[in-house]
Amino acid sequence: MNQVIDPKRLRYQAIQRVTVVGVLVNLLLAASKTIIGIAAQSQALVADGIHSLSDLLSDGLVYFAAKQANHGPDEAHPYGHGRFETAATLGLGILLALVAIGITWDAVGRLFSPEALLHPKPLALYAALFSIVANEALYHYTAVVARKIKSDLLQANAWHHRSDALSSVVVLIGVGGTMAGLPYLDAIAAVGVGLMIAKIGWDLSWPAFQELVDEGLDEERLESIRAIIHQIGGVMDIHMLRTRRIGGEASVDVHILVEPWLSVSEGHMIGQMVIDRLLEEITEVMDVTVHIDPEDDEKAIPCEGLPLRAEAEKLLSQQWRGIPGAEKRRRIVLHYLAGKINVDVYFSLDDLSDGEAQEKFTRTLQEKAAERPEFGVVRAYYG
């Protein structure tokens, strides 16, 4: 028997695996760069070690967020827990910004105090080279998995690893320049590392913030959604298309316009086809809500305040009292359109078989119903 594999569980396992690898690598880098930076007297390398320490914290955030996001919808979270990823991404961006402020503040202070400048030793160069290679490898490994499982949080963490690799390049230049006789270059490199970290923190925080305030999918994706819906038979038009991001997924809410005389079941079938096609063809979409409209409710006269069936039938009975044969109606179908209730009423052919008599009878029903402002067209059927 083939076992069904839960995609959410596979996604969580992939994030968990990548995060554990990241923790081990960053633990090694944070410890080695900080210790070697102090021993080799390189402020830039110490700053880079702190950056790696922030990577450790970010890996912890990723692990926690992935564990929470792995839970399905529940009573308190009907749309699932995908926003935990978003909140963690925002937290990671803020963390990076705080780290950047601390590094930059310390380095600028040393630039204005020449006696506080450090003089790095050759060991710092080797540590920086090792950091570049390790972090670049970690970036590629994490980015490949992030694209495969479509995780913005994991992609953000991949760029965090690359920022560490790039900052190590700056450290390499700073340490080498200072050793070559430019004593300010190590501190300047530390400032450069701080600014790079700040930039990446902003790049992570802003999109996450936009998602938390319900930013929708981009216009290109919206066009794809519109095109798919318009291809479905029975859909005349769409409006009020709304989307919102939830972690690495998206929710869609759309109104579709269908012929006003369709049965409820046919309208439902068209709506279900819209749901199935969007879930199948748009990879981010995990939830679709379809509202069936018999008319464009953005333009049509609203039907607000019109009586529902029980009251409408009571009013019709009052209007048709005294019309011979009206009480023999078999079924009434109500259509709420353009601010009126249009009525389809069905009679047995045995009740009225003459065509001319049928037309006269229908006109009488129409005229009496039209005395009430709630009612529009009345159509009678015999058979």
Side-chain angles (χ1 to χ4, degrees):
M1 181 182 293
N2 293 329
Q3 186 177 5
V4 178
I5 300 175
D6 182 7
K8 278 187 173 291
R9 182 167 180 78
L10 289 176
R11 191 172 190 267
Y12 169 61
Q13 290 174 343
I15 293 176
Q16 190 179 43
R17 184 170 56 252
V18 171
T19 303
V20 169
V21 172
V23 166
L24 294 175
V25 173
N26 282 309
L27 182 61
L28 174 64
L29 289 175
S32 61
K33 287 192 288 188
T34 303
I35 293 171
I36 293 174
I38 293 172
Q41 298 186 31
S42 172
Q43 184 184 9
L45 191 59
V46 172
D48 209 21
I50 295 172
H51 189 187
S52 290
L53 185 60
S54 74
D55 275 348
L56 265 178
L57 296 176
S58 74
D59 287 332
L61 277 173
V62 170
Y63 188 88
F64 169 77
K67 187 174 182 179
Q68 293 300 319
N70 184 52
H71 298 309
D74 56 31
E75 187 174 343
H77 305 87
Y79 287 94
H81 296 71
R83 286 280 171 85
F84 278 93
E85 280 199 26
T86 310
T89 303
L90 178 61
L92 176 54
I94 294 173
L95 173 65
L96 284 173
L98 293 174
V99 169
I101 291 172
I103 291 173
T104 305
W105 182 273
D106 183 66
V108 170
R110 289 181 184 272
L111 282 173
F112 285 95
S113 302
E115 70 282 358
L117 291 173
L118 301 177
H119 303 284
K121 297 174 183 177
L123 185 59
L125 284 175
Y126 301 117
L129 280 170
F130 174 71
S131 177
I132 292 168
V133 173
N135 276 294
E136 188 65 15
L138 196 55
Y139 161 76
H140 285 289
Y141 171 58
T142 306
V144 166
V145 177
R147 285 192 294 269
K148 184 177 180 180
I149 66 174
K150 302 185 184 304
S151 171
D152 290 339
L153 177 59
L154 208 55
Q155 188 67 45
N157 210 35
W159 278 103
H160 195 179
H161 296 319
R162 170 155 278 187
S163 75
D164 216 351
L166 293 175
S167 68
S168 294
V169 172
V170 175
V171 171
L172 189 68
I173 296 171
V175 170
T178 301
M179 291 174 63
L182 301 172
Y184 288 95
L185 210 53
D186 186 64
I188 291 173
V191 173
V193 171
L195 294 177
M196 290 169 64
I197 296 172
K199 170 65 166 58
I200 292 169
W202 170 260
D203 289 344
L204 297 183
S205 300
W206 182 240
F209 173 77
Q210 289 179 307
E211 184 176 320
L212 286 176
V213 295
D214 281 342
E215 181 193 34
L217 295 173
D218 58 62
E219 187 58 36
E220 181 180 351
R221 223 60 179 136
L222 291 178
E223 282 301 319
S224 297
I225 290 173
R226 292 189 188 100
I228 290 170
I229 296 175
H230 277 298
Q231 290 170 3
I232 295 171
V235 175
M236 297 172 61
D237 201 1
I238 69 172
H239 59 281
M240 292 181 68
L241 172 60
R242 296 177 296 178
T243 63
R244 58 177 175 175
R245 295 183 179 276
I246 304 174
E249 300 172 325
S251 174
V252 177
D253 186 350
V254 64
H255 288 224
I256 64 172
L257 183 64
V258 300
E259 288 285 354
W261 312 109
L262 295 183
S263 67
V264 173
S265 59
E266 186 177 356
H268 170 76
M269 188 63 194
I270 294 170
Q272 188 61 50
M273 183 62 71
V274 170
I275 293 172
D276 293 343
R277 289 286 298 279
L278 290 180
L279 291 175
E280 179 183 341
E281 299 189 28
I282 306 294
T283 53
E284 303 98 311
V285 173
M286 58 86 185
D287 180 72
V288 181
T289 301
V290 176
H291 183 89
I292 304 294
D293 285 333
E295 58 186 356
D296 190 339
D297 49 15
E298 290 186 321
K299 301 176 182 178
I301 300 171
C303 293
E304 183 180 358
L306 290 176
L308 296 180
R309 173 170 288 274
E311 181 63 22
E313 287 190 348
K314 183 179 178 181
L315 291 173
L316 287 172
S317 294
Q318 292 173 358
Q319 294 303 112
W320 292 343
R321 186 181 296 124
I323 302 176
E327 75 282 357
K328 295 182 179 181
R329 55 188 177 272
R330 301 294 183 89
R331 183 162 65 101
I332 291 178
V333 178
L334 305 178
H335 303 278
Y336 291 78
L337 299 168
K340 297 282 187 180
I341 305 176
N342 297 322
V343 181
D344 290 346
V345 57
Y346 293 81
F347 296 90
S348 169
L349 191 60
D350 296 335
D351 298 331
L352 205 64
S353 58
D354 180 74
E356 186 176 342
Q358 290 175 1
E359 291 181 10
K360 182 179 179 181
F361 184 65
T362 302
R363 282 198 303 271
T364 303
L365 295 175
Q366 170 72 66
E367 289 167 0
K368 293 300 292 182
E371 293 176 4
R372 297 285 314 190
E374 297 91 344
F375 297 103
V377 176
V378 174
R379 298 182 298 186
Y381 297 90
Y382 306 90

